[in-house]
Amino acid sequence: MTSTLPPTTESATHHLTPAERAAEIGPRIAAHAARHDAEGSFVSEAYDELRAAGLLRAAVPVELGGDGATVRELAALQRELGHHCGATALASAMHQHVVAFTAWRHRRGLPGAEATLRRVAEEQILLVSTGGGDYIQPQGEAVKVDGGYRVTGRKRFASQSRHGTVISTMACFDDPEQGRRVLNLAVPVAAEGVTVGDNWNTMGMRGTASDDIDLADVFVPDDKVLANRPWGVVDPPLQVISSIAFPIISGAYLGVAEAAYDAAVAAAARRADDVAVQRQVGVMRSRLQVAAWALDGALGLVGDDPTPSRATVLAVMNAKAEIARAGVEVCDLAMEVAGGPAFFRGSVIERAYRDIRAAKFHPFTPEQTLVHLGADALGEPVPIAE
């Protein structure tokens, strides 16, 4: 399928919000979604569209050449992209949240932030995150050497890995005085010792190109160590990262579920007078409404410039869990409502049915979130620092 819409340019859309620009390019992104899903290939045309619309620099502050998009605006952007291609929405969410956190660091005058943001604004480079596979107990070890560290480890679920420029990653470090620590690192994809695999062959989100990254004795200079934090704990800096990242990621999954719902409603038009179908559509609509309220509530707590907060992290994780559970239920029901045609490869519902399953793999999982909420209410230990 070839789109007849004219290419989107920044000059033609400067007055639009990021989500509105995503809606304009959405049909052209959607035109390639099924093929990339079938091939398991990266959604390259979608990224061409994102660059042309200036959306890869949406989170860069205005004074540095971006839109200065808030976390709420970025969640809306990824939600809109999810209506057209789940893989594009999820993969680019990983870039967007790293840029947004870098902007947070820039507002506090932290080293290296401005230079990275300028590169994103001017070159629209891609930032790769390994946080989903690392989080509080990262894979990989760092050894102190003169001028920095030597890092070795394998990183999984690294979306757009071979297409990125810089990896935002983590490694464990055994400090002789402080004990087990986690180092947050910035590593060029082209650095010596970095190898990107070719092993992303999954049930869903197949166009994200989330291939493994192997780090083999990679030298990371001291000035590229962005944080040194406790092992096994969501400490204050990671609380901020989580508060920024997971609403943006959750927006992508909510968009996927909404796309399945829209396709199911369209397919159900011929049986609109069937009470059973009416109820199924009602359940889907109800679940999506509550999930959207959950995301809005979490975004309200996060605000435009989040500060470390255990309560906010728990709220964000709760919203993410609600979207994951609702999304799976909605996509299941969408397939039932649409019937046999939805069972065929190439169907929007069939792809959403598979893509939405990935929502449960991000930390914390929905079940872990319930445990942490209960433990917090009962005054028991939770891996989120006070």
Side-chain angles (χ1 to χ4, degrees):
M1 175 179 174
T2 302
S3 172
T4 58
L5 294 173
T8 299
T9 63
E10 287 188 78
S11 60
T13 61
H14 69 279
H15 60 290
L16 302 178
T17 68
E20 288 169 340
R21 276 153 42 207
E24 290 220 331
I25 65 175
R28 294 196 293 277
I29 290 174
H32 301 280
R35 174 174 58 81
H36 286 296
D37 175 68
E39 296 173 349
S41 56
F42 184 58
V43 286
S44 55
E45 295 88 353
Y47 273 66
D48 291 341
E49 294 285 353
L50 293 174
R51 283 194 171 91
L55 289 172
L56 293 181
R57 53 171 164 250
V60 174
V62 173
E63 66 271 19
L64 298 182
D67 290 321
T70 64
V71 179
R72 183 180 292 276
E73 289 172 326
L74 293 170
L77 165 60
Q78 302 313 121
R79 183 175 173 180
E80 178 60 41
L81 290 173
H83 295 162
H84 307 282
C85 175
T88 298
L90 180 62
S92 59
M94 300 307 171
H95 164 84
Q96 298 288 12
H97 81 71
V98 178
V99 179
F101 180 63
T102 306
W104 184 93
R105 295 182 69 250
H106 169 68
R107 290 193 293 273
R108 284 150 182 81
L110 296 174
E114 180 175 339
T116 298
L117 292 169
R118 287 193 181 279
R119 288 200 68 190
V120 174
E122 294 165 10
E123 304 170 43
Q124 293 205 73
I125 63 170
L126 282 182
L127 305 185
V128 178
S129 170
T130 69
D134 283 335
Y135 209 52
I136 60 175
Q137 298 177 353
Q139 301 296 312
E141 298 288 331
V143 177
K144 190 72 181 81
V145 295
D146 288 345
Y149 296 83
R150 289 283 179 180
V151 179
T152 298
R154 168 165 284 197
K155 305 297 177 178
R156 307 202 70 183
F157 296 102
S159 294
Q160 68 211 1
S161 45
R162 69 175 62 253
H163 305 274
T165 300
V166 179
I167 308 165
S168 176
T169 191
M170 307 176 195
C172 297
F173 173 61
D174 288 319
D175 189 289
E177 297 178 356
Q178 295 179 293
R180 190 76 161 163
R181 306 289 293 178
V182 173
L183 306 180
N184 284 49
L185 314 166
V187 180
V189 175
E192 184 178 355
V194 175
T195 304
V196 178
D198 184 17
N199 64 324
W200 186 246
N201 187 15
T202 51
M203 179 173 73
M205 291 296 180
R206 289 171 48 78
T208 61
S210 303
D211 293 298
D212 288 3
I213 298 175
D214 279 314
L215 308 177
D217 200 33
V218 177
F219 177 70
V220 181
D222 286 324
D223 65 352
K224 297 303 180 184
V225 178
L226 305 181
N228 182 334
R229 55 187 184 79
W231 182 88
V233 176
V234 184
D235 69 325
L238 190 55
Q239 289 171 24
V240 173
I241 295 172
S242 300
S243 298
I244 291 171
F246 289 116
I248 296 170
I249 294 167
S250 297
Y253 286 110
L254 183 55
V256 168
E258 288 170 335
Y261 168 78
D262 288 343
V265 169
R270 60 187 173 82
R271 295 187 292 147
D273 59 347
D274 186 324
V275 174
V277 171
Q278 291 170 4
R279 185 184 186 282
Q280 287 175 312
V281 171
V283 171
M284 288 191 286
R285 182 177 178 180
S286 172
R287 296 294 275 127
L288 288 173
Q289 180 67 82
V290 173
W293 285 336
L295 180 58
D296 284 344
L299 285 165
L301 290 176
V302 171
D304 293 346
D305 191 36
T307 56
S309 168
R310 176 174 174 158
T312 299
V313 172
L314 286 171
V316 164
M317 292 296 185
N318 196 21
K320 180 172 68 66
E322 177 62 25
I323 289 167
R325 290 189 295 264
V328 169
E329 184 176 358
V330 166
C331 290
D332 287 356
L333 283 170
M335 186 165 282
E336 290 185 32
V337 167
F343 195 63
F344 282 78
R345 285 294 175 103
S347 157
V348 168
I349 293 173
E350 186 270 340
R351 188 169 68 248
Y353 179 92
R354 290 181 289 105
D355 283 349
I356 200 68
R357 265 64 193 172
K360 292 190 174 184
F361 289 96
H362 300 272
F364 294 123
T365 68
E367 285 300 307
Q368 287 174 323
T369 297
L370 291 175
V371 171
H372 296 332
L373 286 167
D376 182 68
L378 295 167
E380 292 297 309
V382 176
I384 305 174
E386 292 284 4

